[in-house]
Amino acid sequence: MKKILTSMFLCLGGLGAMSQTTVWKGEQWEALISDRGCLEQIVFKDRERNDTVPFFRGEQYVGPSFYVVLDGKTKTADWTPDGFRSFRACIEGVECRLTYKAWKGQPALEVTLLNRGHVPFQPEKAGLRLGIDTYMEKFPAWFGKYFPTLMRCEKTHFYGYLQTPGGHTLGIVSPQPVASWSVEYNLGYQDPAPHWFMGHRIESLNLDLLNALPLPQRHPQDLWQLKQGEAKTWIIALVDIDRPDNFEETIHRLADVPMLRIGQTACRPGESLAFDVLANKADICVRDDRGQSLPLEVQKLPGSAQRVTCTLPRIGLYTIRVVDGDKQTEGILSAHAPWQWTMEKAREGAWKYCQKATSHVESWYGFYSAFEAARHFPDKDLDKKLRRRFDYLFDLLHDTVKMEPKYHVSRIQNTSGTINLLVAKYKAYRDVEDLKKAARLADWLIDTWQREDGAYVNHNIVYTSVIYVAKNILELVLEERELASTDPAWQTWADRHYASARRAIDQLVASQGDFETEGELTFEDGMISCSALQIGMLGLMQTDETARRHYADAMLRILRSHDCLAQLRVPDARRRGGTMRYWEAQYDVQMLPNMFNSPHGWSAWRAYATYYAYLLTGDEHWLRQTYNATGAFANLIDYQTGDLRWAFVVDPYLRVRQTCSADTHVTADSLSFGNPHPDLYATRRFIVGEQYVNMISDWQTVNTQDNDVHEAFKFLAEAMLTNAFVVEREDGTLAGYNCRVTRRGNAWQVEADEKQMTNLHCNLRSACQIIFKGQKRDLPAHYLGWAFGQDIYSENR
């Protein structure tokens, strides 16, 4: 009590600049409350570890703090002591009361909003800035910072979690409905002044207890105002999650709210999916996009869980709804379109949404979809137009005598990406001149931008993992090796290029996570995932098992740290497997402010890594992550219209402004450099939230980078388009990805989902005979590898 009285006295200014903290304890946790009424840290303790949750200690983002957004202006109020571990603050006649208390053994905030004014209170937002330190600025400090990985509003409650790259997970749950959530994104730089681009870091996570409409339909729809004299109270608990796999069970048990635990979120039409419902007495339904309910099979599991199985009859999205007493929760499953259809529609999108010659390779990324579709599903007229378009842009951007880029030569991701596009073009049309161009560009890049330690650089900054410079060169090597059997000159090229890429990847391994990247340094999605995927690809190319294991282990350490940036538990097939990027909209579709774009084209970088992780280890969860992500990518093409979308916005409520007029100084056939700020053009303001955002390159002539969405389809072509996978699980059951498996004694019949799937990968525990496309092969127990078709990563393919 003495500490509390001292703290109250200090808040009133009695002791000047001196400060005092209050220790707040539970059985397995201890927290510090500052004299300002805000948290400084929470330490969760158990026998094996102590997890410290840091809170901001500066001025602007300390928390929990009461904040309001009204008439476009943000106000934050200081706390005044109001009893034992209790505080109050007031903004615009609305009083917020905060009490720190233990709730079911967990540290919790009891928050009450009371409208003491004479008129209804209708803010844009009103709630708590939580104050958890999310600011990932530098290595190695960012391993202890908490990224807001998943936030989920339901009509009757709220839940979510933050996670560190080090693997610590902090759950958040309220048994009362929360209107929305938001984050504060930092500003980056002016270009040109006074126009601001957004930065690459997050400064605050907010729980918006009240929020203006519109909100996603899953959110509560009645928390947009507080009437005169009205009060509402919330309990917000902060929960230590010992293992991420225990997240749903922990939240259900603690808060007594229904939870969905979904392993596989996507499947082919006509396939069955199973998911778990954690509830006391659940009313469960699954409806298609026409509102029709599906038949369900329900199996009781130990405890309060039930396993629900349903068949998704046709392409589309299916909504799960669980009602448990006065609580309800929702999720979404997907029956994805055929991969062939997806690739063909992506190619159509590459023509509709213009490929442009700019300072950024993303502006001509659509040629990946064009060339991959042309290789597998030729369309004479469309392929001819896209091929001519590529040649036109290539000649605009390159000195074709010296074979080097003309502009922005230090942006080596432009050159490495073009190398890879030339490889894709060669594979589609078999014109060896394309491969020669790629090899000469690779020579230029290596001679100009590879450092002595192996790193590919942009001046003094390591750019190996800006996109994936080394992977692009390794994909060239694979084609060079194939030609080397008839022309030794290609072997010379292959050896040089492979040695260069391996040196670059070895430098990544040696960095131990201390990576560099383009733009503002942070624990950056692409920097991490592109490092992991390149290490994994090199591992697959090793014939020596020790070297293979060396690269696999290095990749897995990086990939696991990336979990905090990935949507691995969200019960929504549109988003599962996406990565939480948040500064691309301003460049890609000329929309501000920042927003989580997930899936975005760059989400495919993690998908390559999980795919390679599966091929290296045989752990099915990596394959499941890969497949779920591919299902989410497929939905970037509207399954009803076939039109390509740019990305999915995760934030539930954003007031955005977007360019709505084309640049009049250039055409889509012109050179266009730099990132034109959206505010240089006429803009329109509107609300977005939990929705797809359309492309703009069909009408915006200046440099835009929305065509980076095609990375998702480049990945699809490599990992899923022609491949099927069979997994024999520990209990002896068989699982097929892109195929159906029928066991007949010791013989397993495998039927591919699509005709172009000619490669079969098997992951077996027992010996068997595999029958696939009229071919038979006897495989030994514990077989892990390609049973039919080529291993494209093998030196001896």
Side-chain angles (χ1 to χ4, degrees):
M1 177 59 79
K2 183 178 180 180
K3 287 184 177 180
I4 295 295
L5 292 173
T6 303
S7 187
M8 292 171 62
F9 189 62
L10 289 173
C11 285
L12 295 172
L15 294 180
M18 293 178 61
S19 64
Q20 181 75 46
T21 57
T22 299
V23 178
W24 173 36
K25 285 186 177 183
E27 288 188 9
Q28 293 184 308
W29 52 269
E30 180 177 301
L32 296 178
I33 305 171
S34 75
D35 58 6
R36 300 174 61 183
C38 299
L39 286 168
E40 293 187 346
Q41 67 178 34
I42 302 175
V43 180
F44 291 98
K45 306 175 181 179
D46 64 21
R47 295 176 183 176
E48 298 180 2
R49 73 190 198 285
N50 287 348
D51 290 350
T52 298
V53 181
F55 284 70
F56 286 112
R57 298 193 184 190
E59 289 297 317
Q60 191 170 6
Y61 296 107
V62 294
S65 296
F66 177 42
Y67 93 113
V68 168
V69 180
L70 194 64
D71 298 327
K73 298 179 180 179
T74 301
K75 296 182 180 181
T76 305
D78 293 332
W79 296 114
T80 298
D82 192 35
F84 183 64
R85 285 202 297 264
S86 294
F87 303 86
R88 58 184 168 82
C90 190
I91 299 175
E92 297 289 336
V94 174
E95 184 176 272
C96 180
R97 300 172 184 168
L98 168 67
T99 299
Y100 294 99
K101 58 168 56 179
W103 183 74
K104 299 186 177 181
Q106 305 296 319
L109 318 172
E110 183 180 78
V111 182
T112 297
L113 295 184
L114 168 63
N115 184 0
R116 292 189 177 278
H118 302 297
V119 296
F121 177 60
Q122 298 177 357
E124 180 182 333
K125 298 175 182 293
L128 290 184
R129 281 184 172 153
L130 286 181
I132 299 168
D133 189 348
T134 56
Y135 198 71
M136 294 177 162
E137 184 177 13
K138 58 186 177 181
F139 173 90
W142 56 42
F143 286 105
K145 300 298 183 70
Y146 280 78
F147 191 89
T149 309
L150 171 64
M151 300 295 136
R152 187 86 173 164
C153 293
E154 303 284 355
K155 287 193 185 300
T156 57
H157 59 283
F158 169 89
Y159 67 91
Y161 69 90
L162 300 92
Q163 194 172 61
T164 71
H168 301 158
T169 304
L170 176 70
I172 303 179
V173 63
S174 175
Q176 290 81 33
V178 171
S180 189
W181 59 269
S182 58
V183 297
E184 304 284 350
Y185 302 102
N186 73 318
L187 287 176
Y189 57 96
Q190 291 185 4
D191 184 21
H195 303 296
W196 280 91
F197 280 110
M198 306 294 292
H200 295 193
R201 299 173 187 152
I202 293 174
E203 295 184 316
S204 176
L205 169 64
N206 311 317
L207 293 191
D208 300 318
L209 306 175
L210 305 178
N211 201 99
L213 298 176
L215 289 169
Q217 283 301 307
R218 191 191 66 259
H219 287 229
Q221 301 296 305
D222 59 350
L223 292 176
W224 56 274
Q225 72 169 344
L226 206 59
K227 296 177 182 178
Q228 304 97 306
E230 185 178 11
K232 292 184 180 294
T233 298
W234 293 262
I235 293 289
I236 301 162
L238 305 175
V239 187
D240 182 39
I241 307 294
D242 57 351
R243 294 175 57 249
D245 286 347
N246 294 339
F247 169 68
E248 293 87 357
E249 176 63 38
T250 301
I251 295 299
H252 165 64
R253 185 177 63 252
L254 177 70
D256 200 25
V257 296
M259 295 289 289
L260 293 170
R261 184 170 56 205
I262 310 176
Q264 185 172 332
T265 53
C267 67
R268 66 175 181 272
E271 189 175 6
S272 295
L273 285 182
F275 57 90
D276 293 346
V277 174
L278 307 178
N280 300 317
K281 188 176 181 181
D283 179 11
I284 308 165
C285 70
V286 179
R287 291 190 174 95
D288 64 17
D289 49 17
R290 304 170 188 175
Q292 298 176 332
S293 295
L294 305 185
L296 305 179
E297 295 180 12
V298 180
Q299 174 190 0
K300 185 74 174 68
L301 297 178
S304 59
Q306 300 175 81
R307 178 150 299 160
V308 180
T309 304
C310 59
T311 300
L312 308 187
R314 64 182 70 85
I315 297 167
L317 298 173
Y318 295 79
T319 299
I320 306 167
R321 180 169 296 160
V322 176
V323 177
D324 185 13
D326 62 351
K327 303 293 183 184
Q328 73 175 57
T329 195
E330 291 187 1
I332 294 177
L333 304 174
S334 172
H336 63 75
W339 303 140
Q340 175 178 345
W341 182 88
T342 302
M343 288 302 305
E344 290 174 334
K345 293 301 178 183
R347 170 175 53 190
E348 291 178 16
W351 181 252
K352 177 179 179 180
Y353 301 104
C354 297
Q355 309 307 303
K356 294 175 282 190
T358 78
S359 50
H360 292 68
V361 66
E362 297 95 312
S363 294
W364 64 91
Y365 232 75
F367 291 117
Y368 279 121
S369 296
F371 297 150
E372 291 293 351
R375 177 157 66 112
H376 297 286
F377 318 112
D379 180 322
K380 182 179 178 181
D381 292 338
L382 184 53
D383 291 340
K384 183 178 181 180
K385 290 192 294 185
L386 284 160
R387 190 177 180 183
R388 285 181 173 176
R389 182 69 178 174
F390 176 86
D391 292 340
Y392 170 74
L393 299 189
F394 184 87
D395 290 346
L396 274 182
L397 291 166
H398 296 85
D399 182 328
T400 56
V401 176
K402 294 180 179 179
M403 200 51 64
E404 60 187 45
K406 292 180 182 177
Y407 313 102
H408 296 273
V409 296
S410 66
R411 286 184 57 83
I412 61 173
Q413 69 269 39
N414 292 352
T415 300
S416 72
T418 301
I419 290 167
N420 205 330
L421 283 165
L422 286 163
V423 170
K425 185 167 179 267
Y426 164 75
K427 289 160 74 174
Y429 300 110
R430 311 308 291 184
D431 183 349
V432 75
E433 292 303 314
D434 288 322
L435 210 61
K436 289 179 180 178
K437 291 177 183 177
R440 291 181 63 194
L441 282 173
D443 283 347
W444 173 85
L445 192 156
I446 292 166
D447 291 340
T448 311
W449 296 110
Q450 188 163 30
R451 209 165 60 186
E452 287 187 8
D453 65 355
Y456 297 120
V457 297
N458 178 338
H459 298 292
N460 297 318
I461 302 173
V462 178
Y463 259 45
T464 305
S465 295
V466 176
I467 304 185
Y468 39 63
V469 179
K471 172 179 165 59
N472 283 331
I473 292 176
L474 288 177
E475 290 197 38
L476 170 63
V477 168
L478 294 175
E479 301 309 314
E480 290 173 332
R481 285 177 172 176
E482 194 171 75
L483 292 176
S485 60
T486 56
D487 186 346
W490 285 108
Q491 188 63 57
T492 301
W493 251 333
D495 291 346
R496 180 175 193 242
H497 297 156
Y498 174 78
S500 170
R502 182 165 185 168
R503 286 176 57 224
I505 294 172
D506 283 341
Q507 191 273 334
L508 292 178
V509 174
S511 295
Q512 295 291 304
D514 188 7
F515 303 129
E516 296 178 358
T517 190
E518 180 182 40
E520 188 174 42
L521 187 62
T522 188
F523 189 76
E524 196 266 324
D525 167 36
M527 177 182 76
I528 307 302
S529 59
C530 285
S531 296
L533 78 86
Q534 291 179 105
I535 295 168
M537 183 178 180
L538 183 62
L540 287 170
M541 296 176 71
Q542 304 309 302
T543 55
D544 177 77
E545 188 57 36
T546 301
R548 191 178 176 93
R549 186 73 259 165
H550 165 71
Y551 290 116
D553 289 345
M555 177 196 68
L556 291 173
R557 286 193 296 271
I558 298 168
L559 187 52
R560 291 182 182 118
S561 74
H562 189 269
D563 284 358
C564 67
L565 304 180
Q567 299 192 72
L568 303 180
R569 312 205 72 83
V570 64
D572 188 337
R574 300 170 300 174
R575 296 162 50 186
R576 181 66 76 88
T579 59
M580 299 290 272
R581 295 190 71 81
Y582 50 91
W583 57 89
E584 302 289 357
Q586 57 193 344
Y587 309 119
D588 291 3
V589 291
Q590 295 188 324
M591 183 186 290
L592 285 166
N594 270 356
M595 62 197 72
F596 285 122
N597 313 129
S598 183
H600 175 275
W602 296 158
S603 295
W605 294 336
R606 179 185 170 93
Y608 290 111
T610 58
Y611 176 52
Y612 299 156
Y614 176 70
L615 296 179
L616 285 165
T617 68
D619 289 342
E620 188 187 358
H621 78 277
W622 295 124
L623 179 59
R624 188 180 299 115
Q625 283 190 25
T626 306
Y627 191 87
N628 285 339
T630 314
F633 300 159
N635 278 302
L636 289 168
I637 294 176
D638 189 321
Y639 64 88
Q640 296 176 318
T641 67
D643 199 21
L644 177 64
R645 283 87 68 95
W646 164 67
F648 189 89
V649 174
V650 172
D651 307 64
Y653 181 93
L654 283 168
R655 289 185 178 269
V656 302
R657 64 187 188 277
Q658 185 179 24
T659 299
C660 60
S661 61
D663 191 289
T664 59
H665 300 92
V666 298
T667 71
D669 295 333
S670 307
L671 292 168
S672 175
F673 300 145
N675 288 306
H677 195 281
D679 288 336
L680 295 176
Y681 307 92
T683 60
R684 186 163 294 163
R685 296 177 182 267
F686 51 96
I687 306 297
V688 299
E690 276 200 21
Q691 67 183 72
Y692 291 100
V693 171
N694 291 331
M695 303 280 286
I696 69 170
S697 283
D698 55 332
W699 58 265
Q700 179 55 283
T701 54
V702 76
N703 177 20
T704 53
Q705 294 147 45
D706 48 348
N707 274 299
D708 54 14
V709 66
H710 290 278
E711 184 74 74
F713 309 115
K714 176 184 185 292
F715 161 77
L716 191 160
E718 179 179 335
M720 290 288 163
L721 185 63
T722 62
N723 301 331
F725 304 85
V726 173
V727 180
E728 183 182 11
R729 292 172 175 153
E730 190 172 356
D731 62 2
T733 58
L734 304 178
Y737 293 81
N738 287 341
C739 62
R740 286 151 286 181
V741 190
T742 305
R743 191 198 302 261
R744 296 189 178 93
N746 192 45
W748 300 358
Q749 179 74 44
V750 181
E751 298 291 337
D753 287 347
E754 301 180 41
K755 64 181 184 299
Q756 79 279 356
M757 293 174 177
T758 55
N759 306 316
L760 180 65
H761 186 277
C762 291
N763 182 359
L764 309 179
R765 294 182 177 273
S766 55
C768 68
Q769 182 182 74
I770 294 286
I771 305 169
F772 180 68
K773 290 187 175 288
Q775 306 172 80
K776 296 180 180 180
R777 184 174 176 186
D778 293 322
L779 297 177
H782 307 294
Y783 182 87
L784 176 66
W786 296 97
F788 296 97
Q790 292 185 327
D791 178 356
I792 66 170
Y793 311 101
S794 170
E795 185 173 359
N796 303 311
R797 64 178 182 146

